[in-house]
Amino acid sequence: MTTIDTTDTNDMPPQDPNAVSITINGRTVAARKGDLIIAAADSVDEYIPRFCYHPRMSSVGMCRQCMVEVEGPRGPMMVVSCMTPVADGQVVRTDTPQVKRAQEGMIELLLANHPLDCPVCDKGGECPLQDQAFSHGAGESRFVEEKRHYEKPIPISDLVFLDRERCILCDRCTRFADEVAGDPLISFTQRGNNTQVMTFPDEPFASYFSGNTVQICPVGALTASPYRFKARPWDLEQRESTCTTCSVGCRTVVQSSRDELLRFQGVDSDPVNWGWLCDKGRFNFQSTNSDDRLSTPQVKSGDSFVAISWSEAMETVARTIRHAREGSIAILGGARGTNEDAFMWGALADAVGITMKDAQLDDGLPASVFSYSQATIDSACAGGTVILLAPDLKEELPVLYLRLRDAVQKKRIRLIEVSSHETGLTKYAWKSVRAESGTTAQVVAALLAEAEISTQLASGSVVVVAGRPNLAEAASHTMEAIDAVVAAAPSASVLPVLRRGNVRGALSLGLAPSNGKDAAAILEASAAGQVDCLILLGADPLSDVADIDLARRGIAGAKFVVALDTFLSASASHADIVLPAAAYGEKDGTTMNLEGRVTSVVQKITPRGTSRSDWMVAVELLSLLGYETDFSTLSDVQQAMAQKFPGFGSTTTSVAVKRDGVVVSVTPPTSTLSASSVAGPRNSYEFRLDLSRKLFDRAVGTITSQSLENLAAEAQIFVHPLDLDRIGAADGANVRISNSHSSIVLPIRPASFVPRGTAWVPFNQLGADVRELVRRNVSVVDVRIESM
């Protein structure tokens, strides 16, 4: 009797043509075409020893430690698992006698010249070579000859030391510098037995990402100066957290010993940082340990401060708020704290009726930038076209720069850059166009009208990476440029790249400006005597507001200033009451990065002195002002936050917030935008000022970290070499820069990356303050440059 199969083949799920099934040590493993054997083994926790392999970099097969046995047509054969792709039906064995002998031989060869100085090596206790010498080594060495010796350690940068005797030539540091960072400043030199890692003569390893090479080094060849000889790995306690140095939100491990922060290490978060950190975010933990930290509340007494109790300080602040005129209280800042901090200060503002508030300091974009269709870092890097209307990401958001650079290098995206001068991403851009400040919208509209560009935009998704590229230019010019892109590509999404760590969270949870009363308007009102109480939440207008004259008048005009901060900043030194705030690593909570991803931040050490979390101060003020509060723990605040902002409900209970995070969609309230200013034509004898940030400047977190404080450059003005000839000044000579507002003196330098007619000055550097020339009521700033 014949049996008829009635199964409908249309109901069968389609087979994945890229699926591959292999066997590793008797276990069936599902993999995909193109996967390497070592990656497939990792996916099922079958550990294969390795030194050179790293999942975020190309494989090179340098160390030969990852040898495995694969059955082939001619029988078992030894292959390097980090260079061999999987194949359907492949049989892999990782623990045969032949494999073990090969691994023992490699360990013995590596140890032939490697110094046995584990007791004094910073890597001791967390060293893969040390671990594998025990687990996969022969247990003894046949080499009795003198080991190789080099001068050591060599400082190859201000942050990194090199010990060539320990190097096993795994090629991790050189690959990272070249492939990931794009800064090939460290490479192999010499040949044969004399091969070694070294920098080029007179060129230090001056990469913004040098600390990553220390973390991925499998031995103690590269060590970081801030951590050298500070602790042993078994002395360290650690918790996973999120870096808040900028708004990328890199996942990190916070490590401490004896109640002192000692090291930050990158954590591989697939949607965000892939394990990488910039040097500023990695090493600025030293500021938390600084002796200059505020530890007790202080009150102004003459020209100095006197320590007082928290109860006295809070009674004084509450009394000032209680007696202030209606509508005369203002809050600036909040972007350096947690979501819970911002929520409670927003709740205080709503309860008291405070309408003047802004988490930014007139150096970002209006909150309306969040009203566009929003992109994520992953979606920007996934494919299509990315249009850059942003500052130099390598300087302001370094790890986002790494992600976009990787996407370009692997040909997933095409980058279109419109900027006032060349940036770190210029050489990777498909199209890069210079737009003089004040003309960006017009340049973008003309560029997108070109047939080639239109075809590219229509070929896939479009993401606009938008930020404030020039602090001497009105934000409205960038917003108009975004509108020009959306008009040409209506389905485009926007990735806002505002700089401060939790600026998106603070704006979303209650500290966004309303009725047009942004930071500049608040400072103007304060200068006019309309602010009875100005509260600074970790904000320093005297250092961060581009219009320094406005900042000075605003601070001076406030009748009473309260500063909640970790240090006595320039603005806090003018306050009437200074309250010590808990710093990063001293409080728990959550933060929101530039794409809206909410992740956890954790407390690892005890707050300095009597420092408190910002939300605690807000809760106590509410109580002193007569409002009923039932907030006694962080959990209480998070529950209230989830009730008011439903998108945050998942973050208080989800395990994901402690790992890769949860993307939360909360659109901050937007106020009516002021009419955009039209940039007038520039006189041929003047220069248009371009003012933007560099990674290392006079920021408090930098100048209070011993390893970073000397990395900020002297203030200089950069012009095109032909413009330098026109000015008639020598390279490095002092020149006078002036306009109708003021004049300053700075050394001048030629720079081919600056277009003709533009003068670029890095913001907040050591020396004369270029902000003296900036006024917010003008759309762009033109200056004269005269030889002295």
Side-chain angles (χ1 to χ4, degrees), residues 37 61-62 64-68 78-85:
I37 291 176
M62 296 280 284
R64 322 305 283 184
Q65 182 67 5
C66 66
M67 300 285 281
V68 296
M78 300 278 283
V79 301
V80 181
S81 63
C82 73
M83 297 290 288
T84 307

Side-chain angles (χ1 to χ4, degrees), residues 330-599:
I331 298 175
L332 283 178
R336 292 297 189 197
T338 63
N339 288 326
E340 293 75 15
D341 294 334
F343 172 75
M344 284 311 308
W345 278 96
L348 172 67
D350 292 341
V352 179
I354 300 173
T355 58
M356 292 190 289
K357 53 186 178 178
D358 193 357
Q360 301 190 82
L361 292 177
D362 197 38
D363 56 356
L365 295 177
S368 57
V369 73
F370 300 114
S371 63
Y372 297 94
S373 174
Q374 296 293 287
T376 64
I377 296 174
D378 266 353
S379 67
C381 299
T385 308
V386 173
I387 300 176
L388 281 179
L389 305 174
D392 189 342
L393 297 182
K394 189 173 183 179
E395 300 288 350
E396 297 204 15
L397 302 166
V399 174
L400 178 59
Y401 157 82
L402 293 184
R403 291 293 309 272
L404 289 174
R405 179 185 179 277
D406 176 81
V408 172
Q409 292 286 87
K410 294 178 179 174
K411 302 187 184 304
R412 292 196 301 269
I413 64 172
R414 277 187 166 179
L415 200 63
I416 299 175
E417 178 189 54
V418 180
S419 62
S420 56
H421 66 272
E422 292 182 15
T423 71
L425 284 170
T426 297
K427 61 183 176 182
Y428 306 108
W430 177 59
K431 300 286 183 182
S432 185
V433 179
R434 304 286 79 78
E436 188 172 79
S437 296
T439 66
T440 305
Q442 293 81 3
V443 170
V444 167
L447 180 65
L448 300 186
E450 296 179 9
E452 185 182 21
I453 305 295
S454 298
T455 301
Q456 173 62 28
L457 297 184
S459 67
S461 64
V462 178
V463 174
V464 184
V465 178
R468 185 75 172 271
N470 181 2
L471 297 175
E473 174 191 54
S476 58
H477 293 293
T478 301
M479 299 302 293
E480 290 169 4
I482 297 172
D483 290 335
V485 175
V486 174
S491 61
S493 55
V494 176
L495 180 63
V497 288
L498 307 183
R499 190 178 62 91
R500 288 184 179 82
N502 194 31
V503 62
R504 183 161 186 166
L507 291 172
S508 300
L509 291 167
L511 294 179
S514 58
N515 302 321
K517 296 178 180 177
D518 60 6
I522 291 170
L523 290 171
E524 287 285 7
S526 181
Q530 298 171 14
V531 174
D532 288 350
C533 182
L534 176 62
I535 302 172
L536 303 176
L537 301 180
D540 186 6
L542 290 177
S543 297
D544 287 333
V545 173
D547 185 346
I548 183 62
D549 177 69
L550 173 61
R552 279 194 293 252
R553 291 187 292 110
I555 295 293
K559 291 183 172 59
F560 194 89
V561 178
V562 179
L564 180 58
D565 215 325
T566 54
F567 290 90
L568 194 65
S569 64
S571 300
S573 64
H574 289 78
D576 298 280
I577 288 282
V578 178
L579 304 176
Y584 179 81
E586 296 177 343
K587 59 184 178 181
D588 288 314
T590 59
T591 186
M592 178 185 278
N593 78 344
L594 53 84
E595 60 184 346
R597 185 176 303 276
V598 177
T599 49

